[in-house]
Amino acid sequence: MTFIEIFCKIKENIAGMVIGVMQFMTKKVDLKKIKQLRLKEELTLADIAYAIGYDSPNGYYYLERGRSQFTAEKLAEIADLFGVPIDELFVETHEKETEPR
């Protein structure tokens, strides 16, 4: 086996490993970060709920607790409200995503 053949084989193996790792990396909404931002600004669940268009705090409470999922629009509103880029509201995880409920 020539040096070039060995090099190409190593390159293929590394590329396969990187792709394998990337398949397990996902981004999820960072609920802890969102709650921390709310508490830092001394805002209540009701304050946020009304600011993003809910009629009561319950709808937002379910979002912040992970019982419901944020829509892209609501997540953008939260980012604007706290003055942070939307990507700061995500956390990278190496867990496999589960099927939607």
Side-chain angles (χ1 to χ4, degrees), residues 49-91:
Y50 299 134
I52 64 172
Y54 283 98
D55 294 330
S56 75
N58 289 346
Y60 178 73
Y61 170 79
Y62 290 140
L63 292 172
E64 194 173 273
R65 296 288 297 166
R67 291 178 66 183
S68 296
Q69 293 185 343
F70 280 96
T71 63
E73 291 81 12
K74 292 294 182 198
L75 204 53
E77 289 178 39
I78 296 291
D80 287 344
L81 187 65
F82 293 124
V84 298
I86 198 166
D87 62 328
E88 279 190 31
L89 302 181
F90 288 91
V91 63

Side-chain angles (χ1 to χ4, degrees), residues 29-36 63-66 70:
V29 175
D30 191 344
L31 300 174
K32 287 181 183 181
K33 171 83 176 210
I34 292 171
K35 183 175 181 178
Q36 288 171 348
L63 292 172
E64 194 173 273
R65 296 288 297 166
F70 280 96

Side-chain angles (χ1 to χ4, degrees), residues 1-10:
M1 197 176 253
T2 68
F3 173 76
I4 292 176
E5 290 171 330
I6 294 171
F7 177 78
C8 289
K9 193 69 165 168
I10 291 171

